[in-house]
Amino acid sequence: MLYMKDIDLNNKKVFIRLDFNVPIKGNEITSSERIDRSIPTIQLAIKKNAKIILASHLGRPKEGTYNKKYSLFPVYQYLKKKLPKINIIFCKDYFDNPIQIKSKQIIVLENVRFNIGETKNNITLSKKYADLCDIFIMDAFATAHRIESSTYGICDFVKTACMGPLLHSEIKILKKILYQPLRPMVTIVGGAKVSTKFQLLHSLLKITDTMLVGGGIANTFLSTRYSIGKSLHEKNFQKQAKKMLETKKISLPIDSRVKITDTVNSNPKIKSVSMIESNEEILDIGDQTIQKYKKIIKKAKTILWNGPLGVFELPNFRTGTAKIASYIANSSSFSIAGGGDTIAVIDLLNLKEKISYISTGGGAFLEFIEKQTLPIINRLNQF
């Protein structure tokens, strides 16, 4: 596979697909993590004397309709502050006029999802992107699992396409986890539904030594043994859950923080998982479970974490996730965290500097663990 660092970019127009899909309130970027992680790629292109075109999506706007809420203009303004010595231009109507650009200049394109056909991998649109450049550089890990015009289709019409350094580092770290983890390896999986992470759980059980579960996922496993009241779970996956429990690798909660469902913002009641009543709902793991999980985390050499262990959005049911997150952060093991909700937890608890590696991807992170590859990796291998 071709890598950006090995290609001559001198005086070449390079179309770099990055991930600037960041949270914006008003005109303020509330988390710049994904932009900051892209800066080294941009600086490498500058060093290599390239003519730089940056492209990204933001949110899920209606295709063909401009919506200021989803404009990348605030990202452009942020980049100008981060790279004050570089001439950076914002371009809204980039298909209407030929892009004039000099070496070491940067053009930031408006949100690619404003273009009709972007998410459908439209052939005409893919060719239009290719016509803007000499070389395509894919460096948006968070969208690497999507077959779209600016992430995949463009490859059908450019002479040269390669992998950028951020995408390369994400893949390298995940391969280390999948193929050469230090043992024991502990995976921590939370979230609402087993159905959305069934393949992930199945794949992880092949490589992990112990799996700690929380949230609705844990509830589905618990429901195969106990009555869990009105707690969120998936009856259709009980059979598969039982099969997974036979591996003896899954460590289940032994107590939970519950709320009585006919009360609003109720204080948590900690109960054994075998004592949940019909009008109660599990929303977090309990103190005994926290201590049980703490002991397992303490012995780990590798930790992979995806998803909160309860309804983290409710302060009264945040304890379990917060405690487990702090144990991961203070562990001497190699820790990797991925997924949007997981990153939100890390940001809220200010633990970013204490996690060994935070993946910028959510869906791509999960899909790579499941399949050990992504569509764009296979496509880039053809160049």
Side-chain angles (χ1 to χ4, degrees):
M1 190 183 295
L2 296 174
Y3 297 101
M4 181 183 177
K5 63 183 176 65
D6 302 321
I7 294 180
D8 178 16
L9 304 181
N10 184 42
N11 213 30
K12 299 280 200 309
K13 277 187 185 177
V14 296
F15 184 104
I16 309 178
R17 179 54 161 96
L18 298 169
D19 180 27
F20 294 150
N21 185 30
V22 293
I24 299 174
K25 286 188 179 177
N27 271 335
E28 293 297 312
I29 295 166
T30 57
S31 174
S32 62
E33 173 75 11
R34 283 178 167 172
I35 308 173
D36 296 337
R37 295 280 289 276
S38 297
I39 296 292
T41 303
I42 299 168
Q43 289 173 325
L44 179 59
I46 294 166
K47 187 180 177 182
K48 283 176 165 281
N49 203 41
K51 301 172 179 178
I52 305 158
I53 300 165
L54 306 181
S56 176
H57 77 285
L58 177 66
R60 298 176 183 271
K62 182 182 177 184
E63 287 187 1
T65 306
Y66 173 80
N67 185 334
K68 188 180 177 182
K69 178 184 173 184
Y70 298 108
S71 174
L72 281 172
F73 191 75
V75 173
Y76 154 74
Q77 291 177 310
Y78 182 85
L79 286 171
K80 285 191 77 169
K81 289 177 185 174
K82 293 289 284 187
L83 302 164
K85 295 180 181 178
I86 305 299
N87 182 15
I88 306 178
I89 302 159
F90 186 70
C91 190
K92 191 175 176 183
D93 302 313
Y94 40 89
F95 294 137
D96 295 342
N97 300 297
I99 289 179
Q100 303 298 323
I101 185 171
K102 297 176 184 176
S103 294
K104 296 186 179 180
Q105 273 189 341
I106 295 173
I107 289 180
V108 179
L109 304 185
E110 181 57 286
N111 191 345
V112 293
R113 285 195 179 164
F114 287 160
N115 301 322
I116 294 173
E118 166 64 21
T119 58
K120 300 287 193 298
N121 192 32
N122 179 272
I123 292 173
T124 304
L125 181 60
S126 299
K127 189 174 188 308
K128 283 183 178 180
Y129 289 136
D131 289 343
L132 297 176
C133 67
D134 303 308
I135 296 167
F136 171 59
I137 300 169
M138 177 59 178
D139 208 34
F141 176 68
T143 58
H145 61 310
R146 299 188 186 281
I147 298 177
E148 299 181 348
S149 288
S150 69
T151 63
Y152 187 92
I154 185 174
C155 292
D156 292 334
F157 302 100
V158 289
K159 289 181 181 177
T160 306
C162 68
M163 183 181 285
L166 178 57
L167 178 57
H168 186 207
S169 71
E170 293 267 15
I171 299 301
K172 195 175 175 183
I173 292 289
L174 286 173
K175 280 187 174 179
K176 180 182 174 182
I177 287 279
L178 290 171
Y179 304 129
Q180 296 174 311
L182 293 172
R183 303 284 181 183
M185 177 179 174
V186 174
T187 58
I188 300 161
V189 186
K193 295 183 176 181
V194 169
S195 55
T196 59
K197 295 185 179 180
F198 178 71
Q199 289 302 326
L200 171 71
L201 295 170
H202 190 70
S203 300
L204 285 174
L205 283 171
K206 293 177 183 176
I207 59 169
T208 194
D209 295 298
T210 306
M211 179 181 288
L212 312 180
V213 291
I217 287 173
N219 294 345
T220 298
F221 285 113
L222 290 171
S223 72
T224 66
R225 297 179 176 179
Y226 311 106
S227 171
I228 57 167
K230 294 188 177 180
S231 306
L232 174 70
H233 67 289
E234 293 177 281
K235 288 181 180 178
N236 292 343
F237 275 82
Q238 287 176 328
K239 189 177 178 181
Q240 291 96 320
K242 278 183 180 179
K243 193 79 175 167
M244 286 181 176
L245 288 171
E246 289 174 9
T247 64
K248 307 290 185 188
K249 289 184 175 184
I250 298 172
S251 185
L252 294 177
I254 50 180
D255 64 342
S256 300
R257 282 177 167 78
V258 303
K259 84 174 182 80
I260 299 169
T261 54
D262 58 2
T263 63
V264 180
N265 296 326
S266 68
N267 289 321
K269 187 193 297 183
I270 299 178
K271 298 189 73 171
S272 165
V273 292
S274 62
M275 303 293 288
I276 308 299
E277 296 176 26
S278 61
N279 65 332
E280 293 176 335
E281 185 178 4
I282 298 171
L283 293 182
D284 192 10
I285 57 174
D287 291 343
Q288 289 181 50
T289 304
I290 290 169
Q291 290 307 308
K292 176 187 175 185
Y293 285 5
K294 180 183 180 181
K295 288 175 184 174
I296 296 168
I297 290 167
K298 209 170 181 180
K299 293 176 183 175
K301 291 287 194 298
T302 302
I303 299 172
L304 189 149
W305 173 30
N306 174 256
L309 300 179
V311 184
F312 184 76
E313 298 83 357
L314 300 176
N316 286 345
F317 297 93
R318 188 174 290 172
T319 305
T321 302
K323 290 274 190 186
I324 297 303
S326 70
Y327 299 147
I328 296 167
N330 292 306
S331 167
S332 59
S333 64
F334 179 81
S335 55
I336 179 169
D341 290 341
T342 315
I343 293 169
V345 170
I346 291 166
D347 283 345
L348 189 71
L349 300 175
N350 199 25
L351 298 174
K352 192 165 79 170
E353 304 303 320
K354 292 189 171 185
I355 304 295
S356 307
Y357 192 82
I358 299 171
S359 176
T360 57
F365 173 82
L366 301 180
E367 186 166 319
F368 188 85
I369 291 170
E370 288 170 21
K371 300 178 181 177
Q372 286 84 57
T373 190
L374 294 166
I376 190 60
I377 296 174
N378 299 329
R379 187 66 185 87
L380 291 175
N381 268 322
Q382 296 169 20
F383 284 87

